[in-house]
Amino acid sequence: SLTLMSNHWLMAWMGLEINTLAIIPMMTYPNNMRNTESAIKYFLMQATASMIIMFAIIYNAWMTNQWTLFQVSNEWATTFMTLALAMKLGLAPFHFWVPEVTQGIPLTSGMILLTWQKIAPTSILYQISPSLNMNILVLLAVSSTLLGGWGGLNQTHLRKILAYSSIAHMGWMTVIALINPSLMILNLLIYIAATMAMFLCLNLTSTTKINALSNMWNKSAPMTITIMIILLSLGGLPPLTGFMPKWLILQELIIYNNIATAMLLALSSLLNLFFYMRIIYTSTLTMFPSNNMSKFQWFHTSPKSTSLIPSMTIISAMLLPLSPLVI
């Protein structure tokens, strides 16, 4: 909120730092080596980006004699600011930290990292949008959508897939920041709603891999349908909500004669849709929705139900010698 309401560069920078430091204790809980490693990677990347932002702020103040957030008239200051915000948002080619950090932390921390932590940098990008360089934005956006699509194709971990999905969605938001900033905010809100819903569904079922989704029908059929709808919305299929911002962004790009950029973004969205369809296929089409007890994962049962396992083992051992006679 400090970054959203500030009009001074130092206050906006302080808001970014508070936002960064506040999530690190959440990322390191529960305390283990993977969480600590991910938190250190995240801190180093964010600290580097904050250093570049501070350099851009001081350079802009030196050249223009003002600290107002809305007036970044120096070209070099704008370039450094755009690259630093790209590092904070995880845009390509500064995207390598996003999948590794998301994979190493719990689902709830990953949800906050890929949703709430995008608000403060996007708000600064929104406020300095009139002075942005369109060529840099197009380069960052196209590379993010392409690498976000290619990177998620061979992944089996759901957190990494959602991380690459975040990279691609940030690319869609960046390309429209100069032409129509309000559309960037609309895309961000829809992305946050869909990603939070997806993470909450995965956290409720304690699912982190694609192959674990094959048992989702036995656990909760409505949850499976919900995940399918969310993924189709993230992929941008009509008539779902996720189709609307992509359609409007492509329409704005075509109006401003960025036809090649619109074509690359539309084709790159097919890559994201492919690995969304992999998840949908695994969760909905690989198992008939029945309550067959043999399809349950016995090692995930509660301690009360584990007492049945020895008795079932004894019964199976008694029936095993009779199986040749039955045959």
Side-chain angles (χ1 to χ4, degrees), residues 7-195:
N7 192 29
H8 196 276
W9 268 118
L10 286 181
M11 296 298 291
W13 185 82
M14 287 176 58
L16 285 174
E17 290 304 295
I18 294 172
N19 192 37
T20 300
L21 296 175
I23 194 178
I24 291 179
M26 302 176 63
M27 295 172 66
T28 56
Y29 179 82
N31 190 12
N32 54 54
M33 292 298 294
R34 289 187 64 189
N35 293 355
T36 305
E37 179 186 354
S38 299
I40 292 173
K41 290 178 182 177
Y42 178 74
F43 173 75
L44 291 177
M45 287 298 301
Q46 299 297 311
T48 306
S50 298
M51 178 187 67
I52 299 174
I53 290 175
M54 179 55 72
F55 172 76
I57 292 170
I58 296 174
Y59 184 75
N60 182 69
W62 180 35
M63 298 300 293
T64 61
N65 293 321
Q66 54 86 26
W67 294 82
T68 308
L69 193 66
F70 301 102
Q71 297 179 4
V72 187
S73 56
N74 187 269
E75 184 178 354
W76 283 103
T78 303
T79 302
F80 281 114
M81 185 69 64
T82 305
L83 295 178
L85 291 175
M87 293 178 67
K88 281 190 169 292
L89 289 171
L91 290 168
F94 313 107
H95 68 286
F96 296 101
W97 64 271
V98 181
E100 300 300 326
V101 172
T102 309
Q103 176 62 25
I105 57 179
L107 286 170
T108 51
S109 301
M111 177 184 68
I112 297 173
L113 176 67
L114 296 182
T115 55
W116 183 261
Q117 295 300 105
K118 309 292 185 183
I119 296 177
T122 308
S123 67
I124 294 181
L125 201 64
Y126 176 83
Q127 294 178 72
I128 67 172
S129 59
S131 59
L132 294 175
N133 189 340
M134 188 63 189
N135 293 326
I136 297 177
L137 293 179
V138 169
L139 180 63
L140 291 172
V142 172
S143 58
S144 297
T145 52
L146 289 175
L147 292 174
W150 282 111
L153 289 179
N154 61 344
Q155 299 296 330
T156 58
H157 291 82
L158 294 172
R159 282 173 291 188
K160 276 194 174 182
I161 290 176
L162 291 173
Y164 282 109
S165 170
S166 173
I167 295 169
H169 278 86
M170 290 299 117
W172 280 89
M173 297 175 207
T174 306
V175 76
I176 205 66
L178 178 61
I179 298 175
N180 193 343
S182 301
L183 193 53
M184 176 180 67
I185 300 300
L186 174 65
N187 196 353
L188 177 67
L189 294 176
I190 294 175
Y191 161 76
I192 287 177
T195 306

